[in-house]
Amino acid sequence: MVMTPEVLTLSETPWLFTGVMLVKIAVAFVVTLLIVAYATYAERKTIGRMQTRMGPTMTGPKGLLQPIADGLKLFFKEDIIPAQSHWAAFILAPMMILAPAFISIAVIPFGGDLHFNYDGVLYAVPMQITDLNIGLLFIIAMAGLGVYGIVLAGLASNSKYALLGGIRSTAQMISYELAVGLSIVVIFMLSETLSLRGIVAAQQLPLWGLESVSYIPNWYIFCQPLAFGLFVIGSMAEINRTPFDLPEAETELVSGFCTEYSAMKYALFFMAEYANMITVSAVATTLFLGGWGGPFYGWINFLLKVFAFMFFFIWIRATFPRLRYDQLMFLGWKIMLPLALVNIVLTGIAILLW
Amino acid sequence: MSDQAIVEKLKAKFSSEVLNVVEFRGETTVTVNKEQIVEICTFMRDKFGFNLLCDLCGVDYMGTSPRFMVVYNLYNIATKKRIRIKAPVEEKNANIDTVSTVWGTANWHERECWDLMGIKFNNHPDLRRILMPADWEGHPLRKDYPVQGPDREPYQGRLS
Amino acid sequence: MAANTETMTINMGPQHPSTHGVLQLILELDGEIVVKATPHIGFLHRGIEKLSEHRTYHQTIPLTDRLDYLAPMSNNLGYVLAVEKLLGITDEIPERVQRIRVIMAELTRLKSHLVWLACHALDIGAMTVFLYCFRERECITDIYEKVSGARMTSNYFRVGGLAEDLPDGLEGDIRDFVESMPAHIEEYEGLLTGNKIWQKRTIGVGEISAEAAIDIGITGPALRASGVDWDLRRDNPYSGYEDYDFDVPVREGCDTFDRYKVRLDEMRQSTRIILQALDKLKPGPILADCPKVVLPAKQDVVNNIESLIHHFKIVTEGFKTEPGEIYQGVEAPKGELGFYLVADGSAYPFRMKIRPPSFVNLQGLPQMVEGKLLADVIAVIGTLDIVLGEIDR
């Protein structure tokens, strides 16, 4: 006899629900932190190999303990707060950058449902911390929050380089958020939902609903390649990765908005950068590459796609020089924004005609 | 145009200004009075095409009078010729007109000459010290400036 | 209502990742636009000109290494040529010496240009090129080490010759390296030249016309990228450069991109010159036959009383020159490096004035960046290829 799984709810089984939720949060958080730590290692190793170097080799076998050593070092360093800075904002800023980066993970589905028996009842647990029905809006909102941390860091440091970095990143993130936001509007139009779970489910169907090519899934990258390109470029700009790393352009602004930061606060900025990279990869995977769908078991697909994205970001960093400020603005407002709008209109027409 | 021809024309134009002409190892050096240095340099640039001022520096002949010599090494990019012009400068009245109006590059060279040799350049747009700190006293390349620096014992060799 | 705006003064350097040493730039910014740029130099001033007045002609050679420390052999070459001219022994330099000097000077040009490209690309954000260039530069420092024992401050040339002959087998090493070099240059070009971002960052940036460049005294690749066809190696040849077949790359763009292309082409030409010089290299003496001036070979010092006396006299007293003054310019990697020597007949230079190319080229910086963006300042500092050791002396 096949039992229909029950969905856990807070009203019917409050304790079980809370327990399961806490476990999910803990797992997601720890895994993300681990990926953040080892993303730095992977970046150094990958870029090292691309540049005919070795990368870290000394700390632990093949340098595997390097992220931990770095973390420990930064943790025990002297925490300098410049005398002329606004100390409250100075301390708050790194936290304000890191928190949104992690919160976005909450709405991303990692895999299909887990089923388990408890008290003779079969329960289904989605591998997603919470399925908000406005999941995508939530992610965009959180990405928007991240900019406050950078602006605050730039202002509170009371340093000219930090200020310039802060101003640059505000302008950059606001303009690219627009392009990124508009580029994913087409996804809502196709899936008719804002829930990420729903978007993933829609991508499990065969391509364009054609039964003849049922072996190709309906990933939105196939029907919206332009939106995908815009999203990836735009999110690279939003998370300040090369070639859009102007806010912290080392050779121009020393270190941009984090010039005056040291020790653990600097480490928080550093972690935020990589956490953002993971978030963006996860969102791109969910929106365009069918989330956890694929040949392997649920979350393995998801992780593989996320890692592929991160490798892509690292690869770009080893290849491209940095854009100039005015060129960046030009690209954002005059190329990406119109393209995203055109894409929306074309998609609308296509949906009407079908 | 050969160096002699240039010197002849220069002499014809500024007969009272040219003090001395020396040739050494194939290089011609013309010593001129400092009063009309700007006119002479403009003449050299416009008439003979010495469009590049390679170098400008001061030389300190301590013990002779006049004590300083300001040296202009000129180059003609079209004919690949070099010529050197020198102008003596008295110690008491250590100044000379700037040629930064003739060649823009003279600006920094003259600042350096003022900084290290203490020769003033009249009408210079921005005569500040360039290599030494702004509050430095003395002009280090003068021969009476000790090589080990001011207020220090000369180096006596190793004591042990 | 008119907004109350004011410019921001920002202090770039002397500690800044991309000022290539201890250059200080006071920038007045209106937003990100540079209103005024004022370079301040002198943080590395060691008084090399003053020191040289208290050293014999030979003792000054190691000081010249420390001018442009990225191209030490070019400085050595300029200085020894100047002293040889002062002594009037230019024609007595043996052929092998001239060939080896050319080989080393051109390797030095490669070395200097590699560091330039590395840092220029890194400043603009292309990190990979930096490491690729340093990989090749490492080979040149290895060659340096084999001929002179030092990787940077070589002190290899002597008045009238060389310190030592090339060690056995080095010619083959140099040839292998130089033959592999064009492929490496292709590799750098593959990463940069066609790259849209690189083009956007360099084309039309830091423009300076030929007239303005000559007026401000800019020389070397920066001048040739402004369309002035002038190279001292070809136009006032020294050390036997007239024997080699090479082109002088000239471009008309006047901007950062063309300066980049000119330097890359120059690297290709350098490899050509080195290969020709290697072909023409024959065994022979490595010191001129001028016993009053040139240090005798070591085996003569221990076997021959005259040589011993000469060695003793030259080492303890130095050699005396005729009174006179000369100017010798050489085409250093960064432009015309000139030595103006005044001799009073003693064993010490009476006055040595160095014309450092970077010093003069740096003067063009304010003209090239004012009215441009902050990011262009970085690109222009990179493209001018300055070395502060040479600027401050």
Side-chain angles (χ1 to χ4, degrees), chain C residues 129-148:
Chain C
V129 183
F130 175 82
L131 288 138
Y132 281 9
C133 289
F134 267 69
R135 177 186 62 192
E136 271 74 69
R137 178 181 180 265
E138 199 62 22
C139 300
I140 303 181
T141 44
D142 284 345
I143 295 172
Y144 260 51
E145 192 177 1
K146 282 177 190 155
V147 297
S148 69

Side-chain angles (χ1 to χ4, degrees), chain A residues 322-342:
Chain A
R322 182 182 306 119
L323 277 168
R324 207 171 59 195
Y325 187 64
D326 57 328
Q327 291 160 353
L328 179 93
M329 288 294 148
F330 182 87
L331 183 68
W333 288 101
K334 296 202 174 160
I335 299 178
M336 288 181 56
L337 197 61
L339 275 180
L341 285 171
V342 166

Side-chain angles (χ1 to χ4, degrees), chain A residues 13 24 27 35 37 46 51 68 75 98 106 110 123 133 136 138 145 154 157 164 189 196 219 265 272 286 319 332 338:
Chain A
T13 47
K24 281 200 287 190
V27 169
I35 301 180
T46 320
Q51 297 173 339
I68 295 162
F75 198 76
L98 191 61
F110 309 116
Y123 289 107
N133 52 359
L136 206 48
F138 178 77
L145 267 186
S157 301
L164 274 175
M189 295 164 71
L196 291 172
W219 292 0
K265 294 204 201 69
T286 312
T319 312

Side-chain angles (χ1 to χ4, degrees), chain C residues 70-234:
Chain C
L70 299 178
M73 294 240 198
S74 297
N75 310 330
N76 289 172
L77 180 65
Y79 175 75
V80 298
L81 284 174
V83 178
E84 282 160 10
K85 192 170 180 182
L86 184 65
L87 290 163
I89 58 168
T90 308
D91 297 332
E92 293 173 47
I93 307 303
E95 192 191 330
R96 183 174 172 83
V97 173
Q98 295 201 345
R99 300 265 185 255
I100 293 177
R101 281 181 180 176
V102 166
I103 292 170
M104 298 320 292
E106 291 306 314
L107 278 175
T108 305
R109 188 178 316 278
L110 282 176
K111 189 181 176 203
S112 170
H113 281 2
L114 281 171
V115 176
W116 157 77
L117 181 59
C119 298
H120 186 35
L122 185 66
D123 287 351
I124 295 185
M127 189 173 40
T128 305
V129 183
F130 175 82
L131 288 138
Y132 281 9
C133 289
F134 267 69
R135 177 186 62 192
E136 271 74 69
R137 178 181 180 265
E138 199 62 22
C139 300
I140 303 181
T141 44
D142 284 345
I143 295 172
Y144 260 51
E145 192 177 1
K146 282 177 190 155
V147 297
S148 69
R151 294 170 72 82
M152 275 183 86
T153 49
S154 55
N155 185 21
Y156 177 52
F157 299 156
R158 293 286 181 274
V159 177
L162 304 167
E164 290 274 341
D165 205 342
L166 295 181
D168 291 337
L170 190 71
E171 285 167 45
D173 291 356
I174 296 177
R175 189 181 291 275
D176 290 347
F177 167 72
V178 170
E179 277 171 352
S180 72
M181 198 60 212
H184 290 309
I185 299 171
E186 291 300 324
E187 203 176 2
Y188 315 142
E189 284 223 74
L191 271 168
L192 296 176
T193 307
N195 189 324
K196 267 277 174 278
I197 298 179
W198 178 260
Q199 291 179 358
K200 274 189 170 275
R201 285 300 304 276
T202 53
I203 292 178
V205 171
E207 284 179 322
I208 190 157
S209 67
E211 293 75 41
I214 291 172
D215 182 56
I216 212 80
I218 291 176
T219 49
L223 184 62
R224 288 191 281 279
S226 290
V228 180
D229 188 6
W230 173 50
D231 188 320
L232 282 171
R233 289 175 294 171
R234 184 196 58 199

Side-chain angles (χ1 to χ4, degrees), chain A residues 75-334:
Chain A
F75 198 76
F76 286 113
K77 278 202 148 184
E78 188 191 352
D79 192 9
I80 299 165
I81 298 178
Q84 297 293 311
S85 68
H86 190 296
W87 65 270
F90 190 79
I91 294 170
L92 264 180
M95 303 177 196
M96 286 187 62
I97 294 178
L98 191 61
F102 276 109
I103 288 176
S104 310
I105 305 282
V107 293
I108 290 170
F110 309 116
D113 289 356
L114 270 184
H115 293 215
F116 72 102
N117 257 313
Y118 183 79
D119 237 2
V121 188
L122 185 69
Y123 289 107
V125 181
M127 280 181 76
Q128 181 184 18
I129 292 172
T130 179
D131 179 29
L132 281 183
N133 52 359
I134 48 157
L136 206 48
L137 276 185
F138 178 77
I139 286 177
I140 296 176
M142 284 304 130
L145 267 186
V147 76
Y148 286 102
I150 293 185
V151 175
L152 213 56
L155 280 174
S157 301
N158 198 8
S159 148
K160 285 169 178 172
Y161 284 114
L163 182 66
L164 274 175
I167 293 170
R168 275 186 177 189
S169 82
T170 321
Q172 177 174 339
M173 288 179 108
I174 289 173
S175 22
Y176 277 81
E177 224 155 65
L178 222 56
V180 168
L182 285 175
S183 74
I184 51 179
V185 165
V186 292
I187 306 288
F188 320 154
M189 295 164 71
L190 289 175
S191 65
E192 297 174 5
T193 172
L194 282 178
S195 150
L196 291 172
R197 193 177 159 81
I199 291 174
V200 172
Q203 291 184 70
Q204 312 292 341
L205 305 169
L207 187 62
W208 297 318
L210 300 172
E211 290 302 330
S212 54
V213 286
S214 61
Y215 47 90
I216 306 178
N218 187 25
W219 292 0
Y220 288 137
I221 185 175
F222 297 128
C223 45
Q224 291 295 347
L226 178 63
F228 176 72
L230 290 174
F231 181 79
V232 170
I233 296 175
S235 26
M236 256 195 289
E238 258 198 83
I239 59 173
N240 300 334
R241 292 284 302 181
T242 323
F244 305 102
D245 58 341
L246 289 98
E248 46 199 313
E250 186 185 274
T251 47
E252 293 162 28
L253 300 183
V254 190
S255 207
F257 57 84
C258 44
T259 304
E260 302 292 337
Y261 280 88
S262 57
M264 209 49 211
K265 294 204 201 69
Y266 179 75
L268 290 186
F269 280 116
F270 205 68
M271 282 162 66
E273 187 187 329
Y274 286 89
N276 271 322
M277 199 159 110
I278 294 168
T279 311
V280 160
S281 307
V283 173
T285 306
T286 312
L287 294 185
F288 291 97
L289 296 183
W292 45 268
F296 303 109
Y297 179 68
W299 55 271
I300 300 178
N301 290 323
F302 182 79
L303 277 186
L304 280 178
K305 290 173 192 169
V306 167
F307 290 157
F309 258 107
M310 289 171 66
F311 176 78
F312 175 72
F313 286 139
I314 292 170
W315 188 11
I316 290 282
R317 181 170 169 198
T319 312
F320 279 105
R322 182 182 306 119
L323 277 168
R324 207 171 59 195
Y325 187 64
D326 57 328
Q327 291 160 353
L328 179 93
M329 288 294 148
F330 182 87
L331 183 68
W333 288 101
K334 296 202 174 160

Side-chain angles (χ1 to χ4, degrees), chain C residues 233-302:
Chain C
R233 289 175 294 171
R234 184 196 58 199
D235 296 331
N236 300 80
Y238 52 88
S239 198
Y241 266 110
E242 59 273 20
D243 298 349
Y244 306 106
D245 176 29
F246 64 98
D247 300 323
V248 176
V250 178
R251 293 175 77 92
E252 304 285 340
C254 311
D255 59 3
T256 304
F257 184 75
D258 274 14
R259 287 189 279 269
Y260 153 80
K261 286 292 276 180
V262 162
R263 289 201 177 94
L264 282 184
D265 288 343
E266 239 171 52
M267 285 162 76
R268 296 199 176 90
Q269 297 300 327
S270 288
T271 60
R272 273 180 73 192
I273 298 175
I274 296 172
L275 289 178
Q276 290 174 43
L278 282 171
D279 289 338
K280 293 180 182 178
L281 190 62
K282 292 185 201 73
I286 53 143
L287 285 168
D289 185 19
C290 309
K292 296 277 183 218
V293 173
V294 175
L295 282 174
K298 194 69 192 169
Q299 59 269 32
D300 291 343
V301 176
V302 286

